[in-house]
Amino acid sequence: MIKLEHVKKLYKAKQGNIVAVDDVNVEIQQGEIFGVIGYSGAGKSSLIRLLNQLEKPTSGTVTIAGRVISSIRGKELRLARQEIGMIFQHFNLLWSRTVRENIAFPLEIAGVSKEERLKRVDELVKLVGLEGREDAYPSELSGGQKQRVGIARALANNPKVLLCDEATSALDPETTDSILELLLTINKSLGLTIVLITHEMHVIQKICHRVAVMEKGKIVELGNVLNVFRHPKQDITKRFVQQLTGEEGTEESLEQFAKKYPGGCIVKLTFVGEKAEQPLVTHLIRHFQVDVSILQGKISPTAQGAYGTLVIHLVGAQAEIEKATTYIRNQEVELEVITNE
């Protein structure tokens, strides 16, 4: 559906060229929710703007639905952009227009008849949950409602791709979740390909199928969201995952615990899917001569299923601890020994 090949974007500056996107190669499948995450300056905003050609690549090609969009100009490009919707962090609504008029605006530009515009706007108002607010102005709407208008407007021309540029960064957590649920519904009901950039791992975790981690203009890690959660390779990816799983500072605190309570074994367990819901600790206590202390634990839902981590302290005879850890591994639970004294 979307293919970037050796894409590079340079910006000229007094101090020399700035490399915003550096030799990016990635393919995004039809109907996929693809996340791009990185800190400020990573190049993710430049990358998403290359997809609708608000920015032209310095080199490389961008292909969408079989069309090399990076090589077209003029009317052909304007028509191609109608197949690519975009929603923004700060909504970018027309403040002098009502909800209905904002949603209809792309249809006016495309030359759609008034009758067809009204019909399409009504469909979109219902889709995004804004019934009864059609005649309100942006100043009369909450942040979440404004973003729903932005989403409806982006869908007006029945695009094949929806680009989300930090679409939830200006919203509170509860509203963020409601907007993410709406995007998930749109993806499932319309089969729409969604590319979403963010600096929040919660957003990736909630709805994305795959994620690309960007740093200094490069994609440094790419994969299925659940796999990236389970086995982050790069330091930057580990920091994002730790922020979400609550594991920041874990290593230091566990070292302090081990010094205060010497003996036994501290292990980290990783659960995926239904395994995250099994009463593993209860089984350990009932079947093995070990004492079990829970030091830390959390379950995080992802688009591919639940992902859970649990750090426990096992105390008992070495033979019993070995039996317990063998049992854990036989339950298809990943086990990492952190300390063993």
Side-chain angles (χ1 to χ4, degrees):
M1 177 60 179
I2 300 174
K3 188 175 184 179
L4 289 84
E5 299 176 276
H6 301 291
V7 171
K8 178 175 281 192
K9 178 63 183 179
L10 303 178
Y11 293 103
K12 292 183 179 180
K14 291 182 179 179
Q15 65 270 32
N17 288 337
I18 297 172
V19 182
V21 178
D22 192 1
D23 194 31
V24 165
N25 295 275
V26 68
E27 289 191 47
I28 300 169
Q29 304 304 315
Q30 169 69 41
E32 184 175 22
I33 303 180
F34 187 87
V36 180
I37 191 168
Y39 292 113
S40 296
K44 57 190 187 297
S45 290
S46 294
L47 181 69
I48 203 169
R49 289 168 67 85
L50 290 169
L51 297 182
N52 59 5
Q53 293 300 284
L54 290 176
E55 298 284 356
K56 289 287 182 183
T58 305
S59 60
T61 59
V62 179
T63 304
I64 298 181
R67 176 188 286 167
V68 182
I69 192 172
S70 54
S71 66
I72 60 177
R73 301 287 188 277
K75 182 179 180 181
E76 188 179 1
L77 177 58
R78 288 194 294 273
L79 291 174
R81 281 178 175 156
Q82 290 181 10
E83 298 183 342
I84 306 170
M86 190 164 183
I87 56 176
F88 305 88
Q89 177 180 0
H90 296 297
F91 322 124
N92 289 13
L93 301 180
L94 299 170
W95 294 88
S96 61
R97 285 179 170 241
T98 64
V99 167
R100 185 185 297 278
E101 291 166 343
N102 264 283
I103 298 171
F105 187 61
L107 299 170
E108 293 176 28
I109 295 174
V112 176
S113 69
K114 183 176 181 180
E115 183 180 352
E116 288 297 314
R117 288 202 308 266
L118 291 173
K119 180 180 177 182
R120 180 62 177 154
V121 169
D122 286 341
E123 292 173 352
L124 291 167
V125 165
K126 185 176 181 180
L127 177 65
V128 302
L130 286 174
E131 297 100 322
R133 303 296 287 161
E134 298 92 330
D135 297 321
Y137 288 90
S139 61
E140 300 172 311
L141 303 176
S142 66
Q145 289 172 330
K146 290 173 188 172
Q147 195 56 283
R148 287 173 185 269
V149 177
I151 292 170
R153 181 184 59 186
L155 296 176
N157 282 312
N158 291 300
K160 296 177 180 177
V161 176
L162 179 63
L163 308 179
C164 305
D165 186 2
E166 296 278 9
T168 59
S169 295
L171 306 175
D172 62 74
E174 185 176 349
T175 306
T176 291
D177 282 346
S178 70
I179 293 298
L180 294 178
E181 288 291 344
L182 175 58
L183 291 175
L184 195 58
T185 298
I186 290 169
N187 168 257
K188 291 179 178 177
S189 61
L190 304 180
L192 195 65
T193 303
I194 298 177
V195 182
L196 185 153
I197 71 165
T198 184
H199 62 273
E200 300 171 299
M201 198 63 183
H202 165 74
V203 173
I204 300 295
Q205 165 226 338
K206 185 84 175 178
I207 65 170
C208 292
H209 302 123
R210 286 194 301 149
V211 60
V213 183
M214 287 195 73
E215 186 176 31
K216 297 179 180 178
K218 292 182 177 291
I219 291 180
V220 297
E221 194 156 350
L222 173 67
N224 174 284
V225 169
L226 202 52
N227 289 340
V228 170
F229 262 65
R230 294 170 65 185
H231 304 293
K233 296 180 177 64
Q234 302 297 323
D235 287 342
I236 184 173
T237 312
K238 292 175 182 177
R239 291 201 297 273
F240 277 124
V241 172
Q242 286 171 355
Q243 288 172 10
L244 195 60
T245 59
E247 294 177 13
E248 284 186 294
T250 294
E251 192 173 321
E252 183 179 346
S253 63
L254 291 179
E255 287 177 359
Q256 294 174 352
F257 181 89
K259 290 178 182 178
K260 188 173 182 179
Y261 302 100
C265 178
I266 296 177
V267 296
K268 177 184 174 182
L269 313 180
T270 302
F271 309 80
V272 178
E274 294 179 359
K275 298 294 181 183
E277 301 172 7
Q278 63 179 317
L280 183 64
V281 173
T282 301
H283 287 302
L284 290 177
I285 295 171
R286 286 178 178 174
H287 298 292
F288 303 97
Q289 296 298 311
V290 293
D291 293 328
V292 183
S293 299
I294 297 175
L295 306 183
Q296 185 184 66
K298 185 171 184 178
I299 295 177
S300 302
T302 75
Q304 288 90 27
Y307 166 85
T309 58
L310 185 66
V311 180
I312 59 176
H313 186 217
L314 301 174
V315 177
Q318 186 62 33
E320 285 296 306
I321 290 177
E322 290 177 2
K323 288 179 183 178
T325 55
T326 299
Y327 170 80
I328 292 170
R329 290 191 172 101
N330 288 339
Q331 304 308 304
E332 299 179 13
V333 175
E334 292 183 24
L335 182 147
E336 176 189 352
V337 177
I338 297 176
T339 66
N340 191 6
E341 297 182 9

